[in-house]
């Protein structure tokens, strides 16, 4: 057990129309440290009426406020000020993220660095955006395509990368000139609350960024079943994504949903051995597998499969799990009892379905871990196939399944045999095979001889049931923009449709 688990002190109010305030009914929620299972903070819990207030504030700030018409250079400056404040408070934000999610401090620090990069990237991108002139071939007509903010945005984030995922939404929304309501996961709201304080300090105008924390099941209707919202960006589970999409459709509200994945990591016999072992492990066991792009399906060449799996099993047993605040920990606990229950139930089902448990399958055999924490050891199931729930479902935990292939065609078919399509990895030293595979895989991101990396400048999102829409990159900004065509006749004359009727 490691040090500082005292109650995380401070106001954790809602932020609506530039004011911090308690929930309408005075309600609060206990926030749990996953490494101990004990309460370390208490936050205000919004009511549906609070959510409606937040939408009204964002609506007024969009319809009558100055932000949508603020020059792009000023909006970009604001994003850079936010990035500078994130740099200043990085250590504290990383600590909060670790206490809230359980991930290691090293991972939290990388998250905050990525958040900073996203704000800087969108500041620069917005400044280089330009209108598009269209030559319509009509004398005196100037035809332009311009981008305008889409309006009021509802931004709903999950618990696995709390600040990172909300920042992928807030940064482009802000620079596009939108106003918004941010709703972090009720499981991990603290870094978002701290971040909104930084936005206030940086000078985000009242009403532009509003914050309501609380259960999605309670706030969802108020946030999505309304004509006052123009765009909903959601990251989370498939079933929630469906509910939100159906509700939004009633109002013809635009929606972008990122719903996770069941990501294949395909290893050919000629792949570099050491980096393959290393990255297959990191790809699935980092953050205890609670990553939407986690490489949970190992699809390995039969020629090396037994030896490769033996190597993984040996190394998986050495991964040091522990409190994220302990610098010796390489991975942390699961986020909640609910996730722990889910893993235990998948282990039971997989065993019934005939998968062979090679390691893990329950808590690590250690007596130095806090018994209240949500510990689940790196787990490998061999001899798996697509009939098994553990291969089809997004388990969202540290469970690797192993399938074997004999030909590249088989590997490709297996890699695409999923309802999802978020990310995939291919490992081979044959460039032609690699190119064939990366072009054939129906996934939004494909890594060749690497795994897990992304950059703010490249789009992120899924094929299939991994969602629709894209975050990051130019498309991630375009989600927050309307496209308008302006046809400007600089020399109008009355010589068109009804001229002859008048003459007759
Ligand atoms: O997600 P939820 P949960 C997957 C993963 C995980 C499963 C369930 O498989 O085990 O989803 O996780 C808000 N209207 N992913 O239950 O419920 C909720 O408050 C509006 C994949 O935590 O989808 C939170 O802010 N909002 C994933 C957010 O939705 C609602 C990351 C996500 O919660 C709502 C997390 C409603 N009706 C889980 N109901 C990824 N893609 O990375 C809930 N919410």
């Amino acid at each position: 057990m490691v040090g500082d688990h005292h109650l995380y002190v401070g106001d954790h109010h809602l932020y609506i129309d530039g004011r911090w305030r308690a929930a309408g009914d005075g309600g609060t929620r206990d926030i749990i440290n996953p490494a101990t299972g004990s309460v370390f903070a208490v936050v205000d819990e919004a009511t549906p009426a609070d959510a409606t207030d937040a939408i009204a504030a964002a609506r007024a700030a969009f319809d009558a406020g100055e932000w949508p018409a603020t020059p792009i250079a000023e909006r970009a400056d604001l994003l850079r000020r936010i990035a500078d404040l994130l740099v200043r408070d990085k250590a504290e934000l990383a600590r909060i993220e670790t206490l809230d999610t359980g991930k290691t401090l090293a991972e939290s620090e990388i998250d905050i660095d990525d958040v900073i990069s996203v704000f800087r990237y969108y500041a620069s991108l917005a400044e280089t955006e330009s209108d598009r002139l269209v030559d319509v071939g009509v004398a005196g007509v100037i035809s332009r395509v311009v981008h305008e903010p889409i309006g009021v945005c509802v931004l709903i984030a999950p618990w696995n990368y709390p600040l990172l995922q909300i920042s992928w939404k807030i940064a482009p929304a802000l620079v596009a000139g939108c106003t918004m309501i941010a709703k972090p996961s009720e499981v991990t709201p603290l870094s978002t609350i701290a971040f909104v304080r930084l936005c206030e300090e940086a000078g985000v105008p009242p009403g532009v960024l509003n914050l309501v924390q609380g259960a999605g099941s309670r706030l969802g209707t108020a946030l999505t079943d309304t004509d006052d919202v123009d765009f909903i960006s959601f990251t989370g589970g498939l079933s929630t994504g469906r509910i939100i999409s159906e509700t939004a459709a009633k109002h013809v509200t635009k929606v972008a949903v990122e719903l996770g994945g069941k990501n294949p990591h395909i290893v050919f016999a000629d792949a570099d051995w050491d980096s393959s072992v290393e990255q297959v492990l990191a790809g699935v066991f980092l953050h205890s597998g609670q990553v939407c792009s986690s490489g949970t399906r190992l699809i390995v060449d039969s020629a090396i499969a037994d030896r490769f799996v033996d190597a993984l099993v040996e190394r998986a047993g050495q991964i040091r799990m522990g409190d994220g605040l302990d610098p010796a920990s390489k991975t942390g606990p699961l986020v909640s009892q609910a996730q722990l229950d889910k893993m235990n139930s998948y282990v039971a089902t997989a065993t019934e379905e005939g998968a062979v448990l090679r390691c893990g399958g329950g808590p690590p055999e250690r007596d130095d871990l806090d018994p209240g924490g949500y510990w689940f050891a790196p787990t490998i199931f061999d001899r798996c196939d697509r009939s098994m729930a553990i291969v089809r479902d997004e388990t969202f935990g540290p469970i690797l399944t192993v399938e074997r292939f004999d030909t590249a065609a088989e590997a490709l078919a297996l890699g695409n045999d999923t309802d999802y399509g978020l990310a995939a990895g291919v490992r081979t030293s044959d460039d032609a095979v690699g190119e064939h595979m990366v072009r054939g895989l129906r996934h939004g991101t494909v890594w060749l001889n690497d795994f897990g990396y992304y950059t703010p400048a490249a789009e992120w999102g899924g094929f299939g049931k991994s969602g629709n829409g894209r975050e990051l990159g130019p498309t991630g900004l375009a989600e927050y923009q309307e496209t308008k065509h302006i046809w400007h006749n600089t020399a109008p004359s009355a010589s068109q449709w009804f001229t002859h009727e008048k003459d007759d």
Side-chain angles (χ1 to χ4, degrees):
M1 258 196 292
V2 173
D4 203 1
H5 287 142
H6 60 74
L7 200 66
Y8 182 75
V9 190
D11 282 340
H12 303 307
H13 288 335
L14 323 177
Y15 186 67
I16 298 173
D17 206 13
R19 282 186 299 279
W20 293 93
R21 68 181 221 200
D25 63 358
T28 59
R29 172 182 290 267
D30 291 345
I31 304 299
I32 309 284
N33 176 350
T36 63
S38 54
V39 176
F40 79 101
V42 179
V43 304
D44 294 83
E45 173 95 349
T47 63
D50 293 323
T52 301
D53 287 352
I55 292 173
R59 188 76 265 165
F62 189 80
D63 293 343
E66 290 174 5
W67 185 247
T70 299
I72 287 174
E74 284 179 39
R75 288 189 221 147
D77 278 350
L78 180 67
L79 264 72
R80 293 198 179 96
R81 284 202 296 281
I82 293 171
D84 290 345
L85 293 173
L86 285 162
V87 171
R88 185 193 71 188
D89 290 355
K90 177 178 157 182
E92 176 62 3
L93 287 165
R95 186 176 153 276
I96 293 171
E97 204 72 310
T98 288
L99 284 168
D100 221 353
T101 62
K103 68 176 68 176
T104 63
L105 208 46
E107 285 179 81
S108 295
E109 283 167 358
I110 292 170
D111 286 4
I112 309 302
D113 282 340
D114 287 352
V115 172
I116 294 163
S117 306
V118 165
F119 276 85
R120 296 212 165 122
Y121 168 72
Y122 275 117
S124 302
L125 181 72
E127 285 176 329
T128 59
E129 275 224 308
S130 56
D131 299 354
R132 181 161 52 96
L133 281 179
V134 179
D135 185 355
V136 290
V138 179
V141 169
I142 300 170
S143 161
R144 284 179 293 147
V145 176
V146 301
H147 301 299
E148 297 183 354
I150 195 167
V152 173
C153 305
V154 165
L155 313 175
I156 301 175
W159 44 259
N160 55 335
Y161 287 87
L163 192 52
L164 183 83
Q165 283 180 323
I166 204 105
S167 76
W168 288 12
K169 304 178 192 304
I170 292 177
L174 263 183
V175 89
C178 296
T179 63
M180 64 209 80
I181 303 94
K183 198 206 83 62
S185 165
E186 60 273 33
V187 183
T188 57
L190 287 167
S191 58
T192 305
I193 300 172
F195 169 77
V196 170
R197 287 198 182 280
L198 294 190
C199 290
E200 184 185 33
E201 185 181 343
V204 173
V208 171
L209 168 60
N210 303 276
L211 167 72
V212 288
Q213 54 270 24
S217 53
R218 188 173 182 222
L219 301 180
T221 302
L223 287 173
T224 59
D225 199 354
T226 167
D227 281 325
D228 287 331
V229 167
D230 302 297
F231 178 52
I232 302 166
S233 176
F234 167 79
T235 304
L238 175 56
S239 55
T240 313
R242 271 206 187 100
I243 294 170
I244 290 176
S245 300
E246 282 168 14
T247 309
K250 286 198 286 176
H251 301 272
V252 199
T253 305
K254 181 182 162 188
V255 187
V257 291
E258 206 266 75
L259 308 175
K262 188 70 190 176
N263 314 291
H265 201 160
I266 300 170
V267 182
F268 283 85
D270 63 358
D272 176 71
W273 183 269
D274 290 344
S275 62
S276 296
V277 171
E278 176 72 35
Q279 291 203 345
V280 167
L281 288 169
V284 63
F285 295 136
L286 215 69
H287 193 15
S288 281
Q290 301 167 115
V291 182
C292 52
S293 55
S294 159
T296 50
R297 279 180 78 195
L298 171 63
I299 297 173
V300 59
D301 202 321
S302 301
I304 57 164
D306 289 345
R307 204 159 56 91
F308 194 75
V309 175
D310 286 348
L312 293 176
V313 168
E314 192 194 336
R315 291 277 302 277
Q318 296 162 1
I319 294 172
R320 185 164 176 86
M321 179 168 284
D323 189 316
L325 292 179
D326 180 348
S329 302
K330 292 291 183 199
T331 187
L334 296 172
V335 76
S336 63
Q337 184 65 46
Q339 286 301 115
L340 186 56
D341 294 344
K342 192 171 160 187
M343 290 318 114
N344 286 325
S345 129
Y346 271 116
V347 169
T349 315
T351 312
E352 277 163 29
E353 288 180 337
V356 177
L357 180 66
R358 291 291 313 272
C359 63
E365 287 170 13
R366 297 242 308 268
D367 50 18
D368 58 333
L369 296 173
D370 190 307
Y374 309 124
W375 308 108
F376 190 86
T379 296
I380 299 178
F381 275 105
D382 200 355
R383 303 286 165 189
C384 297
D385 63 60
R386 277 278 293 156
S387 69
M388 299 174 181
I390 204 165
V391 176
R392 290 191 312 271
D393 298 356
E394 181 183 50
T395 46
F396 224 60
I399 299 181
L400 181 72
T401 60
V402 183
E403 296 156 86
R404 289 163 160 77
F405 69 86
D406 291 316
T407 64
E410 254 175 69
L412 189 56
L414 283 171
N416 283 335
D417 190 8
T418 169
D419 293 339
Y420 290 102
L422 186 63
V426 177
R427 317 195 73 89
T428 173
S429 55
D430 184 326
D431 286 349
V433 171
E435 182 62 15
H436 173 71
M437 294 295 295
V438 297
R439 298 304 300 231
L441 283 162
R442 301 272 305 153
H443 295 259
T445 296
V446 183
W447 295 285
L448 182 54
N449 295 327
D450 226 330
F451 201 88
Y453 293 98
Y454 76 95
T455 163
E459 278 74 5
W460 180 266
F463 290 25
K465 290 195 172 43
S466 287
N468 54 42
R470 287 292 180 273
E471 299 197 283
L472 302 179
T475 317
L477 176 59
E479 297 279 16
Y480 294 89
Q481 294 171 321
E482 285 285 14
T483 301
K484 181 183 281 177
H485 175 207
I486 301 174
W487 174 291
H488 178 187
N489 190 338
T490 60
S493 70
S495 60
Q496 293 177 350
W497 287 104
F498 299 116
T499 313
H500 296 302
E501 282 89 335
K502 196 180 97 192
D503 291 348
D504 289 348

